[in-house]
Amino acid sequence: MKTNKVLALPGQWETNSSVNSSLYNLVKYDLDDDYYQSYDANVRNLQIGDLHEVSKMVVKPKEINWFVVGDRAKIASKLDELGFDSIIEIDADGKPLTPAVKKQDVPDLKN
């Protein structure tokens, strides 16, 4: 994966528009002027621990919404086993079929 990210970099600037986009990203995200020069080393030096640390800051499990599509008769019991706080069924137009069903307040048990 690291090698693919690094080797794809030169092709990222094949058009004037793509060069402009890279410059725009430097400004938009307040990246260092040498961001692209150091990109190769930064990507190659990434360790799994680095990714875990960033994911702890970015991914907030309690704020995730899950969207599940399927035959209710086949998946409802499996969803109940997963312990979702509420399940909202919607029709093909995205309108709720029934009010949200919230489970009884259960203390949040943490390991």
Side-chain angles (χ1 to χ4, degrees):
M1 181 67 174
K2 291 180 190 180
T3 302
N4 289 343
K5 294 299 282 179
V6 171
L7 293 178
L9 197 58
Q12 183 173 312
W13 299 302
E14 291 180 347
T15 67
N16 289 336
S17 176
S18 59
V19 171
N20 183 47
S21 186
S22 293
L23 293 171
Y24 173 78
N25 287 335
L26 287 174
V27 174
K28 179 178 181 182
Y29 299 111
D30 194 28
L31 302 173
D32 292 334
D33 290 342
D34 70 342
Y35 173 79
Y36 292 108
Q37 286 86 359
S38 58
Y39 183 85
D40 179 304
N42 289 336
V43 170
R44 290 182 191 274
N45 292 328
L46 275 176
Q47 300 296 317
I48 193 72
D50 300 326
L51 300 176
H52 286 160
E53 288 302 313
V54 169
S55 69
K56 288 177 188 175
M57 294 185 292
V58 176
V59 178
K60 302 189 180 355
K62 295 198 182 272
E63 297 177 21
I64 293 176
N65 290 314
W66 292 86
F67 296 89
V68 180
V69 178
D71 182 344
R72 184 187 191 284
K74 293 180 181 177
I75 64 173
S77 64
K78 293 174 184 164
L79 292 175
D80 288 340
E81 290 173 15
L82 294 173
F84 287 106
D85 291 337
S86 65
I87 297 175
I88 302 169
E89 294 181 59
I90 59 174
D91 64 16
D93 295 320
K95 295 186 172 101
L97 294 175
T98 58
V101 178
K102 291 217 176 235
K103 291 188 175 188
Q104 297 291 335
D105 286 339
V106 179
D108 187 21
L109 302 174
K110 297 193 182 211
N111 294 335

